Amino acid sequence: ISICRDLPNIEVITFSVNGISDLEPLSQCQNLSELYLRKNNIANLHELFYLKNLPRLRVLWLSENPCCGSDPHRYRMTVLRNLPSLQKLDNQAVTEEELSQALLDGEEITVPPAGRNVEDSCPESTESSAAESTTETESELLNFSLEETNKIQEELDMKPVPRDKFSSFSPRETDCNRKKRNNVLNAILLLMKELDAEGLEIVQQSVGRRLQTLQKMELQEE
């Protein structure tokens, strides 16, 4: 997610199922209008502090994060009190009545969260973190990455990658390596949107050469 510091003109960001806990890099994205963060590790609603000064943010999907807590009403009211320009929250339209009620029931956030884990660090695996890395989550990461990969293929006028040819996550991979791989893919997608036709042609040529190399390696292994 740190790549976002260098993309101030990005308008749509999709980081669902990505292990994200820190929203500070998004504070530089002044043109951001849609932000999808479903199923991450955002633990504190005070992370909203970094989104409060994004004037064009209209769509936010934050559900299924720890910060949502056990009180859906309080969670929604707090988000809307701090981001009153939202038109849709968690795939549900925001009403004028909710915005008025949020002034009464929502918590106003005026300071960033106190203390956090460094987003780019790779702490040693623990039993608890291993337990949280369920088969369901791994499957969602694979589906998400395959979908986004095929979006790149389509933009480059290339054939989609079949599921059985897509590199899946090995159970032996650490959570850190899995997160890095997914973050690299997301960074590529974000940067693709910043390229013009000439830049995309260069990417297409590079991808074609890389695919040819990988195909030759697969044939040699067989």
Side-chain angles (χ1 to χ4, degrees), residues 172-189:
R172 297 179 182 178
E173 286 185 308
T174 65
D175 290 340
C176 183
N177 288 337
R178 187 184 303 120
K179 183 171 70 174
K180 281 184 177 179
R181 179 187 295 182
N182 216 36
N183 284 344
V184 168
L185 177 60
N186 279 315
I188 292 172
L189 289 169

Side-chain angles (χ1 to χ4, degrees), residues 24 33-34 49 52 65 81 83 102 113 133 153 157 168 180 186 197:
E24 185 276 331
S33 62
E34 298 183 23
F49 175 83
K52 293 183 69 171
N65 275 278
R81 176 163 184 174
L83 303 175
S133 180
Q153 299 287 98
D157 196 25
S168 60
K180 281 184 177 179
N186 279 315

Side-chain angles (χ1 to χ4, degrees), residues 69-136:
S70 58
D71 188 342
H73 176 76
R74 180 181 178 279
Y75 152 72
R76 189 172 177 88
M77 292 296 99
T78 296
V79 175
L80 295 181
R81 176 163 184 174
N82 291 277
L83 303 175
S85 295
L86 287 180
Q87 297 175 355
K88 185 177 287 189
L89 173 60
D90 297 337
N91 207 32
Q92 182 179 342
V94 176
T95 66
E96 292 294 333
E97 291 77 9
E98 283 184 310
L99 291 175
S100 299
Q101 191 66 35
L103 295 175
L104 300 174
D105 297 348
E107 175 190 351
E108 184 174 6
I109 295 172
T110 58
V111 296
R116 69 170 86 254
N117 293 326
V118 178
E119 176 67 23
D120 293 332
S121 65
C122 297
E124 294 183 0
S125 298
T126 61
E127 292 183 3
S128 60
S129 64
E132 293 172 359
S133 180
T134 62
T135 303
E136 178 183 1

